[in-house]
Amino acid sequence: MANYYDELLRLCGFEDEEINKERFRIEKAFQRLEIGSQDMNLAESWIRQNHDLELRAVRKLLGIWLKELIDLVLAKDEGKKLVYYGFPTIAGPAAAIASASKDVYCVCPDVVLCYTMGQIFNKLTPILEAGEENGLPPGHGLCSLQQIRVGGMAKGIIPVPDLVLTSSYYCDMGSKADELLHQKYGHPAVYADGSMDSKWGEFPNYLLQRANFLGEELEKTLSKASEILGIEITTEARHEGASRSKKLFGALRDLVELMKGTDTQPLSIVELEIARRLTSGSVSKRVMGDGPNIIALLNREIKERIKKGVGVVENGAPKAMILMAHFSDPSIMRMMENSGLSIPVTVHTTLASRIMKTTPFIAGEKLAEEQLERGPFHGSYGEIKRAAEAAQEFNVDGVIFNYLFNCRPIAMLSHLLKQFVEKQTGIPVLSLEMDVYDSRAYSAAALRTRVETFADMLRARKASSGA
Amino acid sequence: MDQKSLIVAGVDIGAATAKAVILERNNILSFSVLPTGYSVSQAGESVIRKALEKATLSFDDVQYIISTGYGRRGVSFSNRAVTEIICHAAGVSSIMPQARTVIDIGGQDSKVIRLDDSSNVINFVMNDKCAAGTGRFLEVMAGVLDVKINDMGPISLISKDPCEISSTCTIFAESEVVSLRAEGRGREDLLGGIHKAMSHRVVIMGKSIGFRKDVVFTGGVAKNVGIKEAMEDEIGLQILIPEEPQIMGALGAAMVAQADLEKLEKRS
């Protein structure tokens, strides 16, 4: 029997058979998420407007996110041992834990909520408000991604986990928010201690002790997780997790290479990022197993577009690279493309491609070294230098450094990155204050003037250089 | 009307005022300024009609229109919408080609724009999310001190000891001014302090991209001589003000319209 959500699920790549089989779970999850028939028109028009539903792979990617949301909401009801990890995180330990037992579900809940309640339902505000009411108040410069995690738990839409893996090796706000949640709900948390305090100019060198220490912390994380969850994390599980991650990152690398090699942007950055962020949202068997296949399908569909010369932005549009795409509001990235900019890839996605080339997590110390070499986990200079390299590698006309005023590691770079990249590469940088998780104060309309001007500026520059 | 007359218009719908300029081959035929009011589309229509009336032209005489300002997309009759940053730069460059920095302070935003030697925009910064450093800040302060907006500048210049206003927020600055007023500080000192505080916000923002001469000040706030002098003190450069600083966005829009039309004519 058809129901109010069927059409939306079909748009998200669900097969009818799948919908019928999953009705009970879908309805139970939607009820907890306060998603009803009244939300369907908005969600359908929101995804039709902002997502490239002509591509089968895009529908399936939306579907995979939605399935993760349902699994997340129902994890405890279904007897899973639930593990939350943070964003940004060092990929690896969670994949090993997930591979160690089929009864464990490892996920970054705030990222899943962004890519579903934001990207699909445009209904993230009540969750953000619940975060504000429950320990992370507005106006305090606190991270909105953490507000989403806190709000999700406060509203009872995401369960209290059995374990949280947390750290401050990139930003201390995630670990502080987890501390707050631990105090409130009492669930165990494992802290991987670390530091990204580097001297300016030190990158790519680092003190060996840093890698040793971080490596030990990652090993400690696994050992404690094993103890708390009552599972054995074997060498085979580590290898299986690593091999799955490698497959997912490999598929993504092919997609990124495809975007690099063409002048006609064949895929919106919105869709590239719903694929790319699978690597941040969940390490479930679905994401690691189906994810690479869907990305491979996307690759095939994109190749067809390239063959036909089909692009999603105006031909000859100036190319810009953005630090990271909006997690929850696709209309912002669409606005940037509609302003005449071609945005083939984000800086963070190109940086992730560095890990794609190596073997992910087997041993803590090796993984720590790889993360330090990537740049962002090293320190400000590492992140800036890598951004400059990425801009040159992709031969872009401009860089949009979108910084969150409430994100200490990123906000610190707002002036430094612009000065450094412009001086080193001659590529103009727009320093754009926005919040990639919460668009209440930074809507597409509010950002449009700056982005349109930057696009005009790059067009004029391109024209005067005869490009 | 001669089809080759190349009459174009620029319409700038700002947060506080709507402006229109009618242009024919680089000559301003007329301009008008009206409060924006509650309807962007109505403001656009009224302001262009008023400018046309002054030039004794009709709407049909205008061959190309560019809209700009925060309400640029609400002007249904324009051929194209262009941002106010590009238009302010184009407007200023058309009458002051030596300009290399444009400071624009409007009703609800402020921006600093850097131009290269060919008058292309090469960098910009903008504040449109906080009232500090905008015309709105001055309006609030004028209300507190019961002084007409146009009198604020000249009165402030009398001050020999401007107050220190430390708050960067309009609301908190208002409280600070109220306290200083209660302490008996003179109106000229309060206004001098207000102008210094506001200028400081804009200059700090602009320093991130640097000031290079000639520096030109546009927007409604450019009519306030107190702000101009406070900024000159802080930047250490002379600031030039066009005769009609408020219409630079609309003039730039008209210049862009003229360029667009010329391109179209060449193609045909």
Side-chain angles (χ1 to χ4, degrees), chain A residues 22-40:
Chain A
E22 293 286 314
R23 278 201 195 285
F24 176 73
R25 297 183 75 238
I26 294 165
E27 285 169 19
K28 193 173 175 187
F30 278 14
Q31 195 180 7
R32 201 164 296 165
L33 288 157
E34 295 170 1
I35 293 169
S37 55
Q38 72 283 358
D39 298 307
M40 292 301 120

Side-chain angles (χ1 to χ4, degrees), chain A residues 180-255:
Chain A
L180 174 95
L181 289 169
H182 167 75
Q183 185 269 335
K184 193 166 179 181
Y185 300 103
H187 54 281
V190 177
Y191 291 84
D193 205 353
S195 158
M196 53 179 287
D197 299 336
S198 307
K199 278 184 286 188
W200 181 258
E202 190 181 15
F203 179 82
N205 301 318
Y206 54 86
L207 282 175
L208 199 58
Q209 292 95 310
R210 272 181 81 180
N212 294 342
F213 180 73
L214 182 53
E216 275 176 29
E217 286 294 309
L218 294 172
E219 288 294 339
K220 185 195 77 184
T221 298
L222 276 188
S223 141
K224 285 205 174 172
S226 172
E227 192 185 307
I228 292 165
L229 298 169
I231 58 167
E232 196 185 349
I233 304 167
T234 60
T235 309
E236 289 72 33
R238 290 179 180 222
H239 278 283
E240 197 185 324
S243 145
R244 284 183 187 156
S245 301
K246 199 173 179 185
K247 211 172 148 202
L248 182 61
F249 277 110
L252 203 53
R253 183 186 56 218
D254 293 344
L255 187 59

Side-chain angles (χ1 to χ4, degrees), chain B residues 152-186:
Chain B
M152 292 178 92
I155 294 174
S156 72
L157 295 185
I158 303 166
S159 171
K160 291 193 168 50
D161 182 19
C163 299
E164 284 295 328
I165 314 273
S166 57
S167 181
T168 56
C169 164
T170 300
I171 306 297
F172 295 151
E174 183 182 356
S175 313
E176 218 174 321
V177 168
V178 168
S179 302
L180 289 164
R181 187 182 61 186
E183 284 170 20
R185 295 298 301 262

Side-chain angles (χ1 to χ4, degrees), chain B residues 12-34:
Chain B
D12 176 4
I13 310 292
T17 54
K19 288 78 69 176
V21 166
I22 311 294
L23 193 75
E24 184 182 23
R25 297 183 191 280
N26 294 330
N27 293 318
I28 298 175
L29 300 180
S30 67
F31 69 87
S32 61
V33 180
L34 291 174

Side-chain angles (χ1 to χ4, degrees), chain A residues 134-206:
Chain A
N134 285 277
L136 300 182
H140 286 57
L142 296 167
C143 175
S144 39
L145 189 67
Q146 304 311 323
Q147 287 175 333
I148 292 167
R149 176 176 291 211
V150 171
M153 283 176 73
K155 282 177 78 67
I157 61 176
I158 58 168
V160 175
D162 295 288
L163 174 65
V164 164
L165 309 178
T166 189
S167 78
S168 58
Y169 43 55
Y170 187 73
C171 170
D172 60 355
M173 211 150 347
S175 57
K176 292 282 177 275
D178 279 327
E179 205 177 357
L180 174 95
L181 289 169
H182 167 75
Q183 185 269 335
K184 193 166 179 181
Y185 300 103
H187 54 281
V190 177
Y191 291 84
D193 205 353
S195 158
M196 53 179 287
D197 299 336
S198 307
K199 278 184 286 188
W200 181 258
E202 190 181 15
F203 179 82
N205 301 318
Y206 54 86

Side-chain angles (χ1 to χ4, degrees), chain B residues 1-267:
Chain B
M1 183 64 57
D2 175 10
Q3 284 304 303
K4 297 288 172 193
S5 58
L6 274 181
I7 294 176
V8 296
V11 178
D12 176 4
I13 310 292
T17 54
K19 288 78 69 176
V21 166
I22 311 294
L23 193 75
E24 184 182 23
R25 297 183 191 280
N26 294 330
N27 293 318
I28 298 175
L29 300 180
S30 67
F31 69 87
S32 61
V33 180
L34 291 174
T36 299
Y38 71 93
S39 164
V40 165
S41 61
Q42 217 167 65
E45 206 155 304
S46 305
V47 80
I48 195 168
R49 291 219 179 269
K50 193 168 177 202
L52 286 167
E53 205 178 295
K54 278 189 184 175
T56 57
L57 291 167
S58 77
F59 201 81
D60 293 339
D61 297 324
V62 184
Q63 291 165 47
Y64 206 89
I65 302 168
I66 292 283
S67 55
T68 189
Y70 99 97
R72 62 189 178 276
R73 289 176 185 277
V75 180
S76 57
F77 53 82
S78 82
N79 295 80
R80 193 160 77 91
V82 175
T83 71
E84 52 270 39
I85 296 171
I86 298 290
C87 288
H88 270 93
V92 168
S93 304
S94 71
I95 54 168
M96 296 171 157
Q98 76 282 16
R100 295 295 172 263
T101 308
V102 178
I103 301 169
D104 176 69
I105 307 182
Q108 286 186 17
D109 72 15
S110 52
K111 38 200 171 284
V112 179
I113 308 162
R114 280 285 308 276
L115 309 174
D116 66 11
D117 294 342
S118 308
S119 300
N120 294 312
V121 174
I122 51 164
N123 222 332
F124 64 92
V125 276
M126 183 180 184
N127 161 36
D128 60 358
K129 65 169 209 165
C130 166
T134 73
R136 183 69 194 141
F137 178 83
L138 289 182
E139 279 174 18
V140 169
M141 297 307 162
V144 173
L145 298 177
D146 192 24
V147 57
K148 286 183 185 153
I149 286 272
N150 292 342
D151 295 337
M152 292 178 92
I155 294 174
S156 72
L157 295 185
I158 303 166
S159 171
K160 291 193 168 50
D161 182 19
C163 299
E164 284 295 328
I165 314 273
S166 57
S167 181
T168 56
C169 164
T170 300
I171 306 297
F172 295 151
E174 183 182 356
S175 313
E176 218 174 321
V177 168
V178 168
S179 302
L180 289 164
R181 187 182 61 186
E183 284 170 20
R185 295 298 301 262
R187 196 155 68 166
E188 66 279 7
D189 291 344
L190 288 165
L191 285 169
I194 287 164
H195 290 157
K196 262 177 66 179
M198 178 170 166
S199 303
H200 191 56
R201 297 312 312 154
V202 178
V203 170
I204 282 184
M205 179 176 78
K207 275 184 177 169
S208 67
I209 60 167
F211 292 93
R212 192 180 147 202
K213 66 173 190 181
D214 285 351
V215 180
V216 179
F217 186 12
T218 68
V221 177
K223 291 180 175 173
N224 182 320
V225 65
I227 297 282
K228 172 189 177 276
E229 292 207 358
M231 282 202 295
E232 281 178 333
D233 283 349
E234 198 158 348
I235 303 169
L237 291 170
Q238 190 197 354
I239 290 177
L240 309 175
I241 298 179
E243 203 178 322
E244 293 293 342
Q246 211 173 358
I247 64 161
M248 287 304 108
L251 173 62
M255 296 303 296
V256 176
Q258 188 170 273
D260 272 12
L261 191 58
E262 280 167 1
K263 267 188 222 158
L264 284 173
E265 295 215 328
K266 264 185 204 161
R267 270 187 222 154

Side-chain angles (χ1 to χ4, degrees), chain A residues 1 4 76 109 176 195 207 224 270 273 306 323 340 372 397 409 428:
Chain A
M1 197 177 70
Y4 66 91
K76 295 297 288 177
K176 292 282 177 275
S195 158
L207 282 175
K224 285 205 174 172
V270 172
E273 290 296 295
I306 294 170
L323 182 77
L372 287 166
D397 302 299

